[in-house]
């Protein structure tokens, strides 16, 4: 974790230029009372030093609010809402408030959310990457500014920022092994974009189980695409319409899991006798499907708590980059064990 730097204030700009704080403030607001040359000098220095105006300054002059920003890809899913719940629970205990931004899996929305949080002078940020994010420059800027940040779930720049992830590789390996133990041999993996570390971990566990059991890896059974219900439905149906269709599926997350579940039914196949299914999803929904869903369940509330604890430690001066793992739980129900 980069050492937190002093945030540039109006006072800093004023001292650097040898003018009053009032002059700097008026220059930044293009006041006609300030000459064009001085306006340009002030604005140039502000840009150079990465000065960010504080929108709370007028109403909260003595102390900025203790606010944490949370950036997540899809707040409507149970996983992210449960993580947010855990963050809020932990933050509340320490007197912090939480504001959140939903990026809808879009990198540009993620960039805007991060930028807005910086402008709001949040004391720290907790983030999970959008699936379209492959350029991490907006997070590099946070590192350079010394703003505390912790990743959860999907991570990047792990040498700079602490993170909380699940043991997705081990969980996927256990789930695939269960499918093998109950008679499945042509096991497909339906995942998200390959550049996401979460996808790579879960796919690795799946492949390791196949190799451990000396089952040849058929790369055509590994379908990694956008995390989108309709796309996952289309890809799963494509697998199921093959003459050598899979007899089991490991699904990457809740969206893909339920898309695969409905695709199997739409193709007129029986779960689990024709096609067994295990997905990374949550207990709330998995136990209410018919048949009941075998699932790899996240401890998402706990993940939020751990992420917030890490962030609070960095806010208080902790500089060591930490990597925490919150274990997942394999719950066997009705969709995976063949008769």
């Amino acid at each position: 974790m980069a050492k937190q730097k002093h945030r540039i204030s109006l006072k800093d700009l004023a001292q650097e230029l040898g003018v009053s704080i009032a002059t700097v403030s008026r220059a930044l607001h293009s006041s006609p009372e300030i000459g064009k040359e001085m306006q340009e000098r002030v604005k140039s220095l502000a840009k150079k030093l990465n000065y960010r105006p504080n929108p709370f300054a007028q109403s909260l002059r003595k102390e900025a609010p203790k606010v944490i920003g949370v950036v997540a890809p899809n707040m409507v899913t149970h996983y992210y809402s449960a993580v947010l719940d855990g963050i809020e629970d932990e933050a509340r205990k320490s007197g912090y408030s939480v504001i959140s931004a939903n990026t809808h899996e879009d990198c540009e929305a993620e960039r805007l959310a991060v930028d807005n949080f910086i402008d709001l002078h949040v004391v720290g940020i907790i983030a999970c990457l959008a699936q379209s994010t492959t350029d991490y420059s907006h997070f590099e800027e946070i590192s350079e500014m010394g703003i505390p940040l912790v990743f959860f779930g999907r991570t990047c720049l792990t040498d700079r920022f602490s993170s909380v992830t699940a043991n997705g590789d081990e969980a996927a390996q256990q789930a695939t092994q269960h499918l093998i133990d109950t008679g499945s041999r042509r096991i497909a993996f339906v995942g998200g974009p390959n550049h996401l570390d979460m996808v790579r971990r879960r796919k690795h566990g799946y492949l390791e189980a196949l190799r451990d059991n000396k089952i040849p890896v058929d790369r055509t059974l590994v379908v990694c695409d956008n995390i989108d219900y309709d796309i996952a439905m289309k890809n799963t149906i494509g697998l199921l319409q093959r003459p050598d269709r899979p007899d089991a599926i490991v699904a990457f997350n809740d969206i893909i899991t339920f898309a695969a579940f409905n695709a199997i039914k739409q193709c007129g196949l029986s779960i689990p006798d024709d096609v067994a299914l295990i997905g990374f999803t949550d207990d709330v929904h998995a136990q209410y499907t018919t048949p009941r869903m075998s699932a790899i369940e996240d401890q998402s509330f706990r993940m939020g708590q751990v992420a917030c604890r890490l962030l609070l430690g960095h806010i208080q001066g902790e500089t060591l980059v930490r990597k925490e793992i919150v274990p997942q739980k394999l719950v066997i129900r009705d969709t995976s064990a063949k008769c």
Side-chain angles (χ1 to χ4, degrees):
M1 174 66 67
K3 184 177 179 181
Q4 186 167 1
K5 300 176 183 177
H6 169 68
R7 280 201 175 107
I8 299 300
S9 66
L10 289 176
K11 182 179 179 181
D12 295 321
L13 297 178
Q15 289 178 341
E16 181 75 16
L17 293 166
V19 297
S20 69
I21 293 174
T23 296
V24 170
S25 178
R26 293 188 184 108
L28 289 173
H29 288 87
S30 302
S31 170
E33 299 174 22
I34 307 299
K36 292 292 184 182
E37 181 182 349
M38 177 57 69
Q39 287 186 33
E40 290 174 3
R41 287 181 61 199
V42 171
K43 291 176 182 179
S44 176
L45 181 63
K47 183 177 181 179
K48 177 182 176 182
L49 298 182
N50 203 17
Y51 166 75
R52 300 267 183 166
N54 187 345
F56 296 129
Q58 291 184 344
S59 59
L60 297 165
R61 292 183 183 278
K62 293 184 179 180
E63 183 179 355
K66 296 165 68 174
V67 178
I68 292 168
V70 178
V71 183
N74 191 343
M75 286 294 192
V76 300
T77 66
H78 182 270
Y79 171 76
Y80 291 112
S81 61
V83 171
L84 179 61
D85 198 22
I87 293 170
E88 290 176 339
D89 179 76
E90 197 64 29
R92 192 181 304 113
K93 296 174 186 176
S94 299
Y96 288 79
S97 298
V98 176
I99 55 175
S100 61
N102 189 348
T103 67
H104 303 283
E105 297 283 12
D106 179 71
C107 181
E108 289 308 311
E110 179 182 273
R111 288 178 179 278
L112 180 60
V114 168
D115 205 47
N116 286 340
F117 283 159
I118 293 172
D119 286 343
L120 289 171
H121 284 235
V122 297
V123 294
I125 296 173
I126 299 173
C128 179
L129 291 178
Q131 65 173 316
S132 63
T133 300
T134 56
D135 176 3
Y136 310 127
S137 57
H138 48 307
F139 294 117
E140 290 172 342
E141 179 184 0
I142 288 178
S143 176
E144 292 165 2
M145 293 179 69
I147 299 172
L149 183 146
V150 170
F151 284 106
F152 72 92
R154 310 172 192 168
T155 69
C156 68
L157 304 175
T158 53
D159 59 328
R160 300 191 191 187
F161 297 112
S162 292
S163 60
V164 185
T165 58
N167 61 334
D169 51 348
E170 295 176 19
Q173 187 168 0
Q174 292 169 7
T176 307
Q177 185 64 54
H178 164 71
L179 292 171
I180 294 169
D181 292 342
T182 53
S184 296
R185 287 297 178 270
R186 286 188 57 74
I187 304 170
F189 178 85
V190 183
N194 279 310
H195 67 269
L196 293 177
D197 59 334
M198 181 187 285
V199 175
R200 293 196 301 269
R201 288 193 297 269
R202 296 179 180 183
K203 183 169 65 174
H204 175 75
Y206 152 82
L207 293 172
E208 283 297 291
L210 297 182
R211 294 184 182 112
D212 288 347
N213 290 272
K214 295 181 171 51
I215 296 175
V217 175
D218 183 346
R219 294 290 177 179
T220 66
L221 293 180
V222 180
V223 181
C224 292
D225 206 332
N226 287 342
I227 302 169
D228 176 87
Y229 181 88
D230 292 334
I231 290 174
M233 272 279 289
K234 179 182 177 181
N235 287 335
T236 305
I237 290 172
L239 287 170
L240 297 175
Q241 289 179 339
R242 292 169 44 163
D244 58 346
R245 63 169 170 77
D247 58 6
I249 294 172
V250 176
F252 166 71
N253 72 348
D254 48 0
I255 293 172
I256 293 175
T257 296
F258 287 100
F261 181 88
N262 289 327
I264 296 169
K265 289 197 165 189
Q266 184 172 311
C267 288
L269 298 169
S270 172
I271 305 172
D273 296 336
D274 293 325
V275 185
L277 175 64
I278 293 181
F280 284 80
T281 185
D282 60 86
D283 180 69
V284 173
H285 298 103
Q287 61 182 313
Y288 297 121
T289 61
T290 303
R292 296 179 310 147
M293 183 78 70
S294 293
I296 306 157
E297 296 178 356
D298 284 293
Q299 297 188 68
S300 43
F301 181 84
R302 181 180 169 193
M303 182 169 282
Q305 289 181 310
V306 174
C308 191
R309 288 173 198 156
L310 284 178
L311 183 70
L312 293 176
H314 290 308
I315 290 171
Q316 293 161 11
E318 172 63 57
T319 58
L320 181 66
V321 174
R322 296 175 58 188
K323 297 177 177 63
E324 298 287 342
I325 296 177
V326 176
Q328 294 172 306
K329 180 173 61 173
L330 177 60
V331 179
I332 303 303
R333 297 191 180 92
D334 304 327
T335 63
S336 61
K338 295 179 183 292
C339 297

